[in-house]
Amino acid sequence: MNSNNYCVIMAGGIGSRFWPMSTQKFPKQFHDILGTGRTMIQQTFDRISQMIPPDNIYVITNQEYTDLTHQQLPEIPTENIVGEPAMKNTSACNLYMANKIANKNPKANIIVMPADHLILKEKTFLEKVQLAFDLASEKDYLITLGITPTRPDTGYGYIQFIPKKEESFSKVKTFTEKPSLEIAKSFIDSGDFLWNAGIFIWSAKSILSAFKKYLPEMTNQFNSCDYNCSAEKECINLIYPTVSKISIDNGILEKADNVYVIPANLGWSDLGTWTSVYTNAEKNDDNNALNSKNVLTYNSKGNVIRIKSQNKAAVIDGLKNYIVVDTEKALLICPRDNDQLIKDYVLDLKNLKHGDKFM
């Protein structure tokens, strides 16, 4: 293992599209969504710890989840679990962690990755990450892993690259946020677009230089803090309310001219919706994805069914292509085609009297 290589796991999201399993107090990255025996953040740690030692792995999350993170990842030093005082999108957390790691090791190379993604081809993933680390240590490159698309999906961002024969990486031409179905189809047909997985690799020096160039005000704000000392938390709490809320894609990657992509077929999913869980979960003979042996289905196909208690029986008759999620506080029953509306259901529930208790 190279002592200059570090990992930052981003684990601050609420995962409202996974309500009612995912709640503000216990969001989806801390759940075992696919029934593997390990939660999403634990699987992410298991994957990257094959090439990076726990002392070099950091988690940045909401301050509310630092204790929960420590409970699920006791292997990571407590000081490496960092709580943000507010949700400010991905530019702020990337700059914060780059400063913190560079303060310890100016020669650091960093992989930044979400806590809640599924990667089935782990060997391929590790090989691509090693290639990215090698490039980042030698070149002033900002590198992203681009997923080979399997369908014209409107739920993902896209990366257009400049193809080169027999090259394992390519220069990025454009980034596109979630497109319409028609545009997504044209991307797939063109052959020079990849899905944006939100997995980035760069040297601390390169990413800090990019922030200085493209987000100078934010850079100055974070430069006012001292890192890895007792004064860090107070300073971070002071500057965070004034920091711009902007993604790393919009703030840096869409503007920089040294962005490269490594195409990768990883068996990847961001597990962003209940339908994506259905796609990746084990299914019975009727194509129902169940999490309990105490669920009986009749005339029912294509459903994802999650029952909170193994002591509870459920009988489902006549449902096709539905989401059924039962928890201690709430019950969701909706068509799989409507999984993008779950965020709206949550907002409407919050408007009910005492609605927050169901979140």
Side-chain angles (χ1 to χ4, degrees):
M1 293 186 181
N2 187 330
S3 61
N4 287 334
N5 291 344
Y6 290 76
C7 174
V8 174
I9 299 173
M10 296 184 292
I14 296 172
S16 57
R17 287 182 294 177
F18 273 94
W19 181 88
M21 179 185 283
S22 180
T23 63
Q24 187 154 346
K25 289 189 176 180
F26 205 93
K28 76 164 183 173
Q29 58 268 30
F30 301 107
H31 287 273
D32 176 12
I33 289 179
L34 291 176
T36 64
R38 296 284 278 174
T39 66
M40 298 305 298
I41 194 171
Q42 287 172 331
Q43 289 184 60
T44 302
F45 170 80
D46 294 345
R47 192 178 302 126
I48 201 63
S49 63
Q50 296 176 61
M51 67 186 307
I52 297 177
D55 284 355
N56 285 16
I57 298 176
Y58 287 74
V59 177
I60 185 158
T61 185
N62 191 288
Q63 282 182 353
E64 190 177 353
Y65 308 140
T66 53
D67 289 344
L68 187 53
T69 302
H70 185 61
Q71 289 169 21
Q72 294 206 358
L73 297 176
E75 305 92 337
I76 295 180
T78 303
E79 62 270 21
N80 288 15
I81 298 172
V82 181
E84 286 185 288
M87 295 176 69
K88 289 288 186 174
N89 214 314
T90 51
S91 282
C93 70
N94 271 281
L95 181 52
Y96 182 7
M97 298 311 295
N99 273 308
K100 192 170 175 66
I101 292 171
N103 177 264
K104 278 198 168 184
N105 183 353
K107 296 181 180 179
N109 304 305
I110 306 167
I111 177 171
V112 184
M113 53 200 292
D116 51 3
H117 287 189
L118 174 70
I119 293 175
L120 297 175
K121 299 179 181 180
E122 289 197 348
K123 183 181 177 183
T124 303
F125 168 76
L126 296 173
E127 289 170 354
K128 298 295 184 182
V129 172
Q130 186 58 58
L131 169 62
F133 273 138
D134 292 343
L135 287 171
S137 63
E138 297 167 4
K139 307 277 189 180
D140 180 24
Y141 287 173
L142 307 178
I143 304 158
T144 180
L145 297 189
I147 305 302
T148 308
T150 57
R151 61 189 181 277
D153 199 302
T154 60
Y156 297 144
Y158 286 75
I159 302 167
Q160 185 181 25
F161 62 96
I162 301 171
K164 278 189 177 180
K165 287 185 178 179
E166 299 178 7
E167 281 284 0
S168 53
F169 62 96
S170 298
K171 190 171 178 64
V172 170
K173 189 174 181 181
T174 62
F175 284 87
T176 303
E177 290 297 314
K178 299 173 183 178
S180 67
L181 182 59
E182 187 177 346
I183 292 174
K185 286 179 179 177
S186 70
F187 286 173
I188 301 299
D189 292 341
S190 73
D192 59 354
F193 282 83
L194 301 164
W195 283 338
N196 184 358
I199 301 172
F200 309 115
I201 304 95
W202 40 54
S203 68
K205 180 181 178 182
S206 291
I207 193 60
L208 289 174
S209 174
F211 268 103
K212 185 177 180 180
K213 182 175 182 180
Y214 299 109
L215 291 174
E217 183 180 354
M218 187 181 290
T219 298
N220 290 336
Q221 289 170 310
F222 278 91
N223 282 349
S224 68
C225 294
D226 294 320
Y227 294 92
N228 305 309
C229 63
S230 58
E232 177 185 317
K233 187 173 182 180
E234 183 180 351
C235 183
I236 290 295
N237 287 342
L238 186 66
I239 68 169
Y240 246 76
T242 64
V243 168
S244 297
K245 196 172 186 178
I246 185 171
S247 71
I248 191 80
D249 301 75
N250 296 146
I252 303 291
L253 300 177
E254 291 176 5
K255 302 171 183 175
D257 58 3
N258 60 334
V259 183
Y260 287 78
V261 64
I262 297 176
N265 182 2
L266 304 178
W268 172 89
S269 171
D270 70 347
L271 288 183
T273 63
W274 280 112
T275 293
S276 65
V277 169
Y278 173 80
T279 301
N280 290 284
E282 290 187 15
K283 303 172 190 68
N284 66 10
D285 292 342
D286 290 323
N287 277 328
N288 294 310
L290 314 175
N291 75 328
S292 172
K293 294 179 180 178
N294 299 324
V295 177
L296 299 179
T297 59
Y298 302 88
N299 307 307
S300 299
K301 293 184 178 182
N303 302 296
V304 54
I305 301 170
R306 292 290 184 264
I307 305 299
K308 174 67 175 177
S309 173
Q310 296 298 313
N311 296 320
K312 179 187 287 187
V315 177
I316 309 293
D317 189 349
L319 279 189
K320 289 183 173 60
N321 301 323
Y322 263 73
I323 300 163
V324 180
V325 183
D326 172 63
T327 71
E328 292 174 0
K329 291 186 176 181
L331 171 66
L332 169 70
I333 304 173
C334 79
R336 272 178 34 212
D337 286 347
N338 289 357
D339 64 358
Q340 296 288 345
L341 298 178
I342 292 176
K343 276 190 171 183
D344 297 333
Y345 303 159
V346 170
L347 289 173
D348 290 342
L349 264 178
K350 283 183 177 179
N351 291 329
L352 290 178
K353 188 175 182 181
H354 307 305
D356 282 344
K357 70 180 181 181
F358 304 119
M359 301 299 115

